[in-house]
Amino acid sequence: MASNFNNPYIAPFDYVVFGGTGDLASRKLLPALFRRDRDGQIPPPSRVIAAARSVLSRSEYQAHVETSLRQFLDGEDLDGQTWTRFRERLHFVSLDATGEAGWPDLVCLLDDSPREVRVFYLATAPHLFGPIAHRIKASGAQSPDARLVLEKPIGNDLASARRINDEVGAVFAEPRIFRIDHYLGKETVQNLLVLRFANALFEPLWQSHTIDHVQITVAESIGIEGRGIYYDRTGALRDMVQNHLIQLLCLVAMEPPASLDREAVRDEKIKVLHALAPISAADVTHKTVRGQYRSGAIAGSPVRGYLEEPDVSASSGTETFVAIKAEVRNWRWARVPFYLRTGKRMPQKVSEIVIQFRPVPHWIFPSNGSDASPNRLIIRVQPDEHIRLSLWMKEPGPGGLRLRSAALNLSFAEAFKGRFPDAYERLLMDVVRGNATLFMRRDEVEAAWGWIDQILGAWAEAGDRPRPYTAGTWGPSAAIALIERDNRTWFEETLDIP
Ligand code: BG6
């Protein structure tokens, strides 16, 4: 299987989507495939086969997709020609994921002029991953080169992740398993690799002598959006930190890989995961903060509290916000804390990485407080994607020497005109290419769960309950104290939200 990151070739494929009528398929997978088709990237005979428990005819499924594309294409045109072509790719098979019903129909469809690449995408609950993989094999649907794509969450803790990995590993070899973390498909996240390893400028500074600390914020203004059943037994630590924030941390902290080969990149990421300092029950109160939103307002509109959300237990102890002071114990990052935070119902949606540099060793200018704010590199992942470096400059004008902080600002929208593809567009096509660089390997997922499990265990041991915060704020005040204890502050910049 080719693993070249830049291999543009897309072979004709069959994408079998389990959970093909579900939320993820409607919101993300089908719009992504449609857009790739519109851009001419999908070869003619490729098919998209939805597999689900519901009983639908092919034309009913096509109508269902048309409706959901109209809803989720963000106002883009469902233009006639592409839709006519895409519609013809759509098939539907009703089957029982854990029983025998429907599988012969799937096999029959797949074997009817098989396409070059066969992908099974499991957009289902994780407890079905093992049983579906087993059925794929038992029914004869598996072809020698078939790929299996697993959506997060892969389990709920280390033990369940291992079980799932064992079950799917009994059917598919590791190089054919693609574990999705959609953050890795985001343009700005891939750009982290380019920023660090294609520019000579940053790498010599990328270490503890020059960097004071790193902040990673993934804030969302949305609440749990009707996902109460899933969310209430999951919480922010498992839903966001175990995957998205840890992946961002790995890309910031990893050593330069020898190449973009999937194993080279993932080998470096796993070293970071192994270097993450464990957080014990003794540390948990000063290194972590859990929060849960109460009613409040987002952009002027009132929103209810977490405990009033549908399908959430009235006495729930699930966190919707978490802040962590993490440490990567190696030479490069000694004494450089990584402050992570993520939360629902925060004032705005913003994901960003802040690299805070240390002050210069000796300040020769008149002190007007400027020596207190050293350089800072901001990598805005979303929205309004940009990279900004703050520098001290002389304020123009005669008399005295006044310094002012100015920014070198690279706005992606201005520098690179055109549409930013959704993360799934890249990832779905990378599966067909056989390129797993932007997917998580088994050991990465398990190492991340190992670190998370310790925090969950420490919270349980310390009897830690989430602290309330008002919806529309940046989380509980304890999160501010977490960083201010170290004489640092969270970088917060209010966006102009239209
Ligand atoms: C998902 C989480 O993985 O990521 C959601 O399950 C969260 O709770 C979403 O809302 C955030 O993704 P994005 O791309 O909107 O930042």
Side-chain angles (χ1 to χ4, degrees):
M1 197 164 37
S3 74
N4 178 358
F5 197 76
N6 290 318
N7 175 12
Y9 176 64
I10 300 287
F13 58 77
D14 273 328
Y15 239 99
V16 185
V17 183
F18 290 85
T21 50
D23 199 52
L24 180 75
S26 304
R27 280 176 191 273
K28 293 289 183 188
L29 308 183
L30 287 154
L33 289 165
F34 177 83
R35 289 183 179 124
R36 293 293 83 225
D37 201 5
R38 189 183 54 201
D39 290 355
Q41 207 187 15
I42 297 194
S46 304
R47 296 179 292 190
V48 177
I49 303 169
R53 189 184 284 274
S54 23
V55 180
L56 293 180
S57 68
R58 184 177 177 204
S59 59
E60 283 168 335
Y61 180 64
Q62 288 165 329
H64 164 87
V65 173
E66 185 174 0
T67 311
S68 66
L69 285 179
R70 285 193 194 288
Q71 190 180 352
F72 295 116
L73 271 179
D74 296 335
E76 292 164 50
D77 250 8
L78 192 58
D79 84 88
Q81 217 186 352
T82 313
W83 168 243
T84 311
R85 189 170 66 229
F86 191 69
R87 184 179 194 282
E88 280 316 296
R89 301 189 189 285
L90 300 172
H91 294 260
F92 185 81
V93 176
S94 170
L95 54 67
D96 178 359
T98 53
E100 278 174 20
W103 287 90
D105 300 336
L106 176 63
V107 173
C108 191
L109 184 60
L110 285 171
D111 287 350
D112 165 29
S113 61
R115 307 322 196 228
E116 210 174 302
V117 171
R118 188 171 290 184
V119 181
F120 297 100
Y121 194 118
L122 310 196
T124 64
H127 71 271
L128 292 174
F129 292 171
I132 295 177
H134 165 76
R135 285 277 152 206
I136 289 172
K137 183 172 184 188
S139 64
Q142 190 184 18
S143 59
D145 189 32
R147 288 129 215 219
L148 183 75
V149 186
L150 304 181
E151 253 305 325
K152 69 157 271 263
I154 299 183
N156 203 39
D157 55 15
L158 177 57
S160 55
R162 277 197 179 132
R163 197 165 51 244
I164 291 170
N165 282 330
D166 284 345
E167 286 170 357
V168 298
V171 178
F172 289 84
E174 178 64 25
R176 309 224 186 290
I177 301 177
F178 292 74
R179 297 178 188 83
I180 287 226
D181 182 318
H182 78 277
Y183 265 59
L184 293 178
K186 289 186 190 276
E187 287 291 327
T188 27
V189 174
Q190 293 169 53
N191 206 27
L192 256 173
L193 290 172
V194 181
L195 181 79
R196 287 195 56 198
F197 304 129
N199 297 294
L201 214 61
F202 296 109
E203 205 42 33
L205 303 179
W206 215 257
Q207 37 87 8
S208 60
H209 294 307
T210 33
I211 292 179
D212 177 73
H213 73 276
V214 176
Q215 299 182 15
I216 302 180
T217 296
V218 178
E220 296 183 278
S221 54
I222 57 167
I224 54 167
E225 307 290 290
R227 296 195 303 159
I229 295 177
Y230 158 77
Y231 199 88
D232 207 32
R233 53 182 160 71
T234 307
L237 185 71
R238 292 183 173 100
D239 186 47
M240 298 294 286
V241 181
Q242 190 273 340
N243 34 76
H244 308 325
L245 277 92
I246 285 190
Q247 286 294 323
L248 294 179
L249 184 154
C250 284
L251 292 177
V252 172
M254 72 193 231
E255 294 300 312
S259 72
L260 275 181
D261 177 80
R262 62 175 172 225
E263 303 312 341
V265 172
R266 300 190 297 184
D267 284 349
E268 296 307 334
K269 286 199 289 166
I270 190 82
K271 287 183 202 159
V272 177
L273 287 162
H274 287 153
L276 274 177
I279 295 183
S280 66
D283 297 333
V284 80
T285 49
H286 61 276
K287 290 196 175 164
T288 72
V289 173
R290 308 170 76 203
Q292 192 184 68
Y293 63 82
R294 298 288 182 261
S295 59
I298 308 278
S301 307
V303 295
R304 64 180 158 222
Y306 179 70
L307 298 177
E308 289 88 62
E309 297 280 10
D311 301 319
V312 165
S313 142
S315 58
S316 173
T318 300
E319 78 285 349
T320 60
F321 171 95
V322 61
I324 300 177
K325 178 182 174 183
E327 287 164 71
V328 179
R329 286 200 179 145
N330 61 20
W331 274 44
R332 188 189 281 264
W333 296 113
R335 301 179 310 279
V336 180
F338 284 71
Y339 297 98
L340 316 178
R341 66 176 169 166
T342 182
K344 300 273 187 203
R345 290 293 189 217
M346 315 222 58
Q348 62 201 30
K349 179 177 175 81
V350 58
S351 302
E352 72 189 357
I353 300 166
V354 176
I355 311 288
Q356 178 64 63
F357 291 95
R358 292 188 190 281
V360 293
H362 175 61
W363 187 259
I364 58 170
F365 303 99
S367 184
N368 59 354
S370 27
D371 44 336
S373 325
N375 307 120
R376 181 187 283 147
L377 176 69
I378 297 157
I379 302 163
R380 168 66 65 76
V381 173
Q382 63 185 18
D384 178 25
E385 292 80 353
H386 61 244
I387 290 176
R388 206 162 84 215
L389 179 62
S390 70
L391 298 173
W392 285 110
M393 291 290 142
K394 177 189 174 300
E395 197 175 288
L401 185 62
R402 289 177 300 279
L403 267 62
R404 196 196 298 166
S405 176
L408 284 180
N409 194 352
L410 177 75
S411 152
F412 284 32
E414 281 168 29
F416 311 101
K417 311 268 182 239
R419 185 178 73 83
F420 266 44
D422 183 78
Y424 279 95
E425 292 179 53
R426 158 124 222 165
L427 297 175
L428 290 174
M429 293 300 105
D430 273 2
V431 175
V432 178
R433 291 188 190 97
N435 175 18
T437 304
L438 298 177
F439 295 80
M440 294 178 294
R441 203 166 60 190
R442 173 178 185 155
D443 53 355
E444 276 182 80
V445 173
E446 293 182 4
W449 271 125
W451 191 67
I452 294 293
D453 271 8
Q454 283 186 338
I455 299 176
L456 289 167
W459 281 345
E461 204 179 317
D464 194 83
R465 296 268 312 166
R467 296 158 194 263
Y469 63 96
T470 305
T473 66
W474 289 101
S477 54
I480 300 172
L482 172 102
I483 192 165
E484 290 194 345
R485 266 199 301 276
D486 298 342
N487 291 322
R488 296 171 175 124
T489 48
W490 291 109
F491 176 73
E492 269 154 29
E493 186 188 44
T494 308
L495 300 172
D496 293 331
I497 301 174

